[in-house]
Amino acid sequence: MRYAETGYNLEIDLATGNIERVETDPKLMELHLGGLGTSVKLHWDRVPPETKPFDAENLLVFSTGILNATPAFSANRSVVTFISPQSELLAYPMMGGFWSAELKYAGYDKVIFSNKSPKWVYIWINNDKVEIRDASHLVGKGALETQFLIREELNEPRAQVAAIGIAGENKVFTASIEQGRSSASRLGGGAVMGDKKIKAVAVRGTKNDIHLAHGAEFMEHMMDMTKYINFRRENPIPGVMTILSGIGSPQEMLHTDEKWHTENFSWGNARTRRRGFWDERISEEWPRVQLEGIKRLISCFNCPQQCGALISYKDTPRYMAKCFGKLTYAMASYVDKMEFAWTTLQRATEYGVDSFSTPQILAFGIELYEAGILTDKDFAGAPTDKEGRFVWLLDRVARREGIGDVLANGTYWAAKEIGNGAEEYAHNNIKKHEQLPLKLGMLDPLYYLMYSTNEKISITQIEGNWPQGAFPTLEQREEFVKDWPQLPNEYMKQWLLDWEPRGEKGIPHFPTPDMCCEIVDWMEMLHNIDDACCVCAGMSSFCLKPPYHIHNYPKIISAATGLDLDEDSLKKIVNRSRNLHRAYNNRLGMRRKDEKPPEDHWKRRFPELEEELLSTYYRYKGWNQDGIPTKERLHELDLDYVTEDLEKRGILKDGQD
C-alpha cells in the first residue's frame, strides 16, 4: 500500500489527446518526497535544457505534495512547474485553496501536460473519468468567469477549477493561473498554459482515500500543533510588525493598519518611499473602505487561519483576495484611494495577472512616458488622469495591444526592446523578474543572500523564521529567544542576542558571513520541505515561530509516509532536490553573474562584502565559485548522474573550484 500519496500521475498529451494513468516509482518518495522535489526530478529527466518556454517540449506540471489531502494543517498548496518565459529558468509558483486535495481524492499526485493542443480545451478530471473538452466558447472570458461557467456547464458546483484569463491566452509573461481564493502567480505559468491552449483544469475527487502509515501517531502530532496554534493566537509575538506577530500567510485581509507597508514599500516604479503617508485622514479612510469591501474572511483546505477574503466593493463583481494585492495597484499608480485598489485588483484577477510584477510593469511604462522615452503615439487614447491611465495600460498589457504588447513581456525584456535608455528604468529585477518594491538604506547580508541565490526568485517566498531586523533592546532579544523551539541549533540564540540595530554588531557586518550562511540555509531548507509537502509557508517557513519546524517535521512526515526519517535524513532529501534544481538551472545557463540584487535595492552597498558573502555561501552549500554544485557535493547527495551530465556538457570540470 502507498502511504500519503496515491502512487499515480495523470499524463495528458495535448497534441494526440492521449490520457494515461501512470503508476509512479515508490523509490521517488524516499529520494525526493513529493511536490516540488519529484517535479524537479521529472523536469530533469524529461525536459532537455535546449527547450524554450514556448516549445512543445516544455512540460507543464500541476503537483500535489505528500501531506495534501491528509489531516495535516494547511497542507493545501499546488505547485506548478515549467520553464519560465520571463526568467528562462525552472519556475514553481504555488497556489492554495482546495485544488490539490481534490486531485488526490480523484486518485492522482500530479497532472503532467506535454506538447500543445491544436485548439482551445479545458480538462475535466472526475475521479477515473478524464476528458479533454472543447473550450472555444470560453476564449476571451475572464479567469473568474471561466471557473463559474465550467462549474455550471458540468453541473458540479464543488469542482475545483484552475483557469487563465485573457492575459494567459495572450501569453503575457506575468499571466497567472487563478483558482478559487488563490493563484499560481509568479513567472508566467498562465502564459505557458495559454501557449498549450489549456483554458482551465477542473477536478472533482470523491473516490480515493489517502492512507497514513501511522494514523494515531500522526493525529497526536496534529493535536500538539492545535495546542500551539491556539497558544499563538492568544499570545502574539511582541515587538514585531503586526503581520509577523501571528501565524498564517500575511493577514492582510484581517489587519487594516498599513502604516508600515505604505511608508516603507516603494511607490510608483519602485522609486519613492512616502514617509508620513498614513496620516489621520488615510488611517480612517483606508481601513473603512477595506472593511466595506470584505464580505467574509476565508480559509484554504484544512487550515485554521483565515488569510483570504471574499471581496465585493459596491458594484464590483465578487472575487477572492489575499496578501498585498490590496496595496500594489494603488501604490504603483500613486492613487491614494483604497477604492481604486479594490476595483483594479478585481479587474487584474479577472485578466489573470500577477499582482506583484504587473503593477510595477504598468508604473514602469508610465515612467517611461513621463521621461519621454515612450511617446504620445504609444499612449494615444489614454485618459489623462492617473486612475484612468493606469487601468487603460492594464487593459493594453492583458490584451497585448499597442505598447501593451511590449510591456507584457515584463520590464527586463520590454526595456531591451524599447531601448533609448529604457534599461535604466528596469531597475528592480533579479534574474529578469520584478521584485517586491523595496528600496532600503543599509545592505542587509541575510537578505542579500536570500535575494541572490534562491531558485524561487521572489523574496516573499524565501524569507523565513529569523527576525527581519535586530530588536532594539537586549531585553527584547532575551524575551524572544526564551521560547524558541523552532530554532535548529541552540547556539544560534546567542547570535540573535548579539545582533544590534547599529554599530559593530549591526548590519552589514553582523551577522557574519558564516552566520548568514547557516541562517539562510536553514530558512531555505524549511521552504523546500514545505514545497515537497505542499504546506503553506505561512504555517512554517515564512513566519516567526511557526507550528511546523525542523524538529517536528521528520516525525509528521514519517507518520504519514512510513519513511523512517530523522532531522539529518530529511535534510539530505530536500538538499538533494535543492541541488538537483540548482543543477537544472545551471544547465539552463544560470551562473554567479546572475545572482545579484538590483543595484539600487540598498542605498549603501559594500561590493567586497557582497562578493565575500556569495563566495562563503557557495562554499557552505558545496558549490563551486560559479554557483554550480561540485562533484563531491553531488556524490554526497546520490546525484552522480547529475555530475555525469554536467561534465558531459562542459558545465562542470574535474578539479574546478
Side-chain angles (χ1 to χ4, degrees):
M1 179 181 289
R2 304 285 283 268
Y3 296 111
E5 61 178 357
T6 69
Y8 291 92
N9 291 339
L10 185 61
E11 296 257 8
I12 300 178
D13 185 324
L14 294 161
T16 65
N18 188 56
I19 300 171
E20 289 187 63
R21 182 173 181 257
V22 179
E23 187 172 6
T24 57
D25 183 354
K27 185 76 174 172
L28 284 171
M29 182 193 282
E30 297 176 30
L31 293 172
H32 299 283
L33 292 182
L36 177 63
T38 47
S39 288
V40 169
K41 180 65 166 70
L42 194 154
H43 283 272
W44 176 276
D45 289 344
R46 293 175 53 178
V47 186
E50 298 78 19
T51 305
K52 302 301 180 187
F54 295 136
D55 287 350
E57 293 77 16
N58 187 13
L59 293 181
L60 178 66
V61 181
F62 287 71
S63 181
T64 69
I66 54 170
L67 293 182
N68 288 140
T70 74
F73 290 125
S74 306
N76 48 47
R77 268 24 191 182
S78 308
V79 58
V80 186
T81 47
F82 51 91
I83 297 175
S84 164
Q86 193 172 36
S87 69
E88 299 182 318
L89 301 172
L90 183 62
Y92 60 106
M94 307 183 82
M95 57 188 181
F98 294 77
W99 197 93
S100 57
E102 206 73 36
L103 185 68
K104 283 184 89 168
Y105 290 142
Y108 312 100
D109 296 314
K110 299 182 192 290
V111 183
I112 303 165
F113 291 105
S114 60
N115 294 317
K116 300 184 184 185
S117 172
K119 63 178 183 178
W120 281 100
V121 297
Y122 75 89
I123 314 302
W124 171 222
I125 303 166
N126 186 11
N127 297 324
D128 293 330
K129 185 179 180 182
V130 181
E131 302 175 68
I132 302 175
R133 299 174 65 115
D134 176 65
S136 58
H137 59 300
L138 299 171
V139 174
K141 304 294 186 185
L144 306 179
E145 184 182 10
T146 295
Q147 295 174 47
F148 172 80
L149 291 172
I150 286 176
R151 290 192 188 99
E152 190 176 61
E153 182 174 307
L154 297 172
N155 193 27
E156 182 48 84
R158 292 171 294 181
Q160 299 301 313
V161 184
I164 60 173
I166 66 170
E169 293 176 17
N170 292 321
K171 295 190 279 190
V172 173
F173 283 14
T174 60
S176 57
I177 302 169
E178 299 291 331
Q179 179 267 132
R181 57 131 295 179
S182 191
S183 60
S185 298
R186 307 296 265 164
L187 294 164
V192 175
M193 194 163 158
D195 181 60
K196 293 184 180 296
K197 284 190 162 55
I198 308 168
K199 182 65 176 174
V201 185
V203 59
R204 178 72 177 130
T206 58
K207 77 175 188 72
N208 202 64
D209 290 326
I210 305 302
H211 301 284
L212 300 173
H214 308 292
E217 179 186 338
F218 187 91
M219 293 310 297
E220 286 178 12
H221 293 309
M222 290 304 107
M223 286 188 281
D224 289 341
M225 289 185 69
T226 300
K227 293 175 186 175
Y228 180 76
I229 290 167
N230 290 336
F231 169 78
R232 280 297 306 278
R233 281 176 174 162
E234 296 167 7
N235 298 275
I237 297 172
V240 298
M241 70 179 80
T242 305
I243 64 165
L244 295 178
S245 64
I247 51 177
S249 293
Q251 303 283 306
E252 286 297 299
M253 298 299 115
L254 176 65
H255 299 305
T256 59
D257 184 352
E258 290 296 352
K259 178 179 174 62
W260 193 90
H261 286 119
T262 57
E263 296 190 356
N264 286 279
F265 281 19
S266 297
W267 293 62
N269 183 23
R271 294 284 191 190
T272 309
R273 285 193 285 174
R274 296 175 69 183
R275 300 299 194 190
F277 171 78
W278 198 257
D279 59 18
E280 184 176 348
R281 180 183 67 82
I282 293 293
S283 65
E284 184 282 322
E285 177 187 319
W286 278 41
R288 173 179 55 78
V289 175
Q290 177 177 327
L291 294 175
E292 286 174 1
I294 293 174
K295 299 311 167 190
R296 68 170 184 271
L297 298 175
I298 53 178
S299 301
C300 294
F301 176 83
N302 199 30
C303 183
Q305 301 300 96
Q306 294 177 309
C307 305
L310 175 64
I311 308 298
S312 182
Y313 182 73
K314 295 185 177 177
D315 296 330
T316 304
R318 292 191 171 200
Y319 66 103
M320 309 292 188
K322 65 187 191 307
C323 203
F324 295 109
K326 77 173 190 184
L327 300 177
T328 53
Y329 287 96
M331 291 179 66
S333 61
Y334 282 100
V335 175
D336 300 350
K337 298 177 182 177
M338 186 68 198
E339 291 94 335
F340 180 80
W342 278 151
T343 56
T344 308
L345 181 59
Q346 188 278 334
R347 193 185 197 96
T349 304
E350 195 72 89
Y351 281 148
V353 288
D354 169 15
S355 287
F356 275 105
S357 285
T358 309
Q360 287 187 59
I361 292 167
L362 304 177
F364 163 78
I366 288 170
E367 194 172 58
L368 291 183
Y369 178 55
E370 291 173 344
I373 295 173
L374 294 179
T375 67
D376 288 340
K377 181 180 178 182
D378 296 311
F379 275 72
T384 56
D385 63 294
K386 285 189 295 187
E387 295 97 324
R389 184 175 61 176
F390 203 78
V391 172
W392 176 89
L393 195 56
L394 171 62
D395 295 344
R396 304 283 88 68
V397 167
R399 296 188 171 99
R400 278 193 176 271
E401 294 176 353
I403 190 59
D405 188 34
V406 178
L407 296 174
N409 294 338
T411 60
Y412 174 86
W413 296 108
K416 283 188 170 300
E417 184 172 346
I418 293 167
N420 195 27
E423 291 186 10
E424 294 181 17
Y425 293 80
H427 64 104
N428 201 39
N429 296 317
I430 297 175
K431 297 168 187 169
K432 308 166 188 170
H433 178 52
E434 295 81 16
Q435 298 301 305
L436 201 69
L438 277 171
K439 302 298 173 187
L440 303 173
M442 180 74 76
L443 172 78
D444 185 321
L446 290 166
Y447 275 76
Y448 176 84
L449 288 177
M450 286 189 284
Y451 269 112
S452 298
T453 63
N454 197 275
E455 313 306 321
K456 184 75 177 184
I457 326 178
S458 173
I459 194 63
T460 54
Q461 299 295 324
I462 299 167
E463 59 191 348
N465 296 170
W466 189 263
Q468 293 186 1
F471 289 97
T473 69
L474 179 60
E475 289 75 21
Q476 286 176 299
R477 300 195 286 272
E478 288 174 336
E479 182 64 27
F480 188 86
V481 304
K482 189 184 298 181
D483 178 27
W484 202 3
Q486 295 86 352
L487 203 64
N489 298 296
E490 282 291 307
Y491 58 77
M492 296 170 81
K493 288 182 178 179
Q494 190 61 48
W495 299 352
L496 190 76
L497 291 171
D498 292 342
W499 191 25
E500 297 178 351
R502 58 190 62 84
E504 292 182 1
K505 289 294 181 74
I507 61 171
H509 301 293
F510 196 90
T512 67
D514 287 333
M515 293 174 184
C516 287
C517 290
E518 194 164 345
I519 293 168
V520 171
D521 183 70
W522 157 50
M523 293 195 290
E524 178 193 89
M525 173 194 63
L526 203 57
H527 275 289
N528 279 285
I529 297 171
D530 288 349
D531 295 346
C533 298
C534 284
V535 166
C536 174
M539 297 293 274
S540 178
S541 54
F542 177 78
C543 63
L544 301 173
K545 300 187 177 182
Y548 289 98
H549 49 80
I550 188 55
H551 303 307
N552 64 11
Y553 244 145
K555 300 171 185 176
I556 293 167
I557 295 170
S558 295
T561 63
L563 298 173
D564 185 16
L565 298 177
D566 58 17
E567 291 179 27
D568 288 339
S569 56
L570 179 56
K571 289 176 185 177
K572 182 174 182 178
I573 292 173
V574 295
N575 273 326
R576 179 182 296 123
S577 298
R578 170 71 174 95
N579 279 268
L580 183 63
H581 196 160
R582 162 66 49 151
Y584 189 82
N585 280 341
N586 292 146
R587 288 204 312 185
L588 293 171
M590 190 182 75
R591 299 291 187 271
R592 182 185 183 119
K593 63 179 173 56
D594 302 305
E595 305 215 285
K596 304 287 184 185
E599 289 184 10
D600 63 345
H601 186 84
W602 294 284
K603 190 173 183 178
R604 294 193 62 191
R605 299 292 291 266
F606 299 81
E608 290 184 8
L609 175 59
E610 292 173 20
E611 290 303 312
E612 181 187 358
L613 283 164
L614 205 54
S615 296
T616 306
Y617 190 68
Y618 282 176
R619 287 193 295 271
Y620 183 90
K621 297 292 283 186
W623 301 343
N624 70 23
Q625 287 304 301
D626 214 7
I628 302 165
T630 63
K631 182 176 182 178
E632 292 73 22
R633 183 59 170 149
L634 293 169
H635 179 71
E636 289 171 7
L637 297 171
D638 311 305
L639 293 172
D640 293 315
Y641 66 91
V642 175
T643 300
E644 183 180 343
D645 182 273
L646 295 182
E647 288 180 339
K648 185 190 225 179
R649 296 176 184 276
I651 296 171
L652 193 60
K653 300 177 176 65
D654 284 339
Q656 186 181 40
D657 181 12

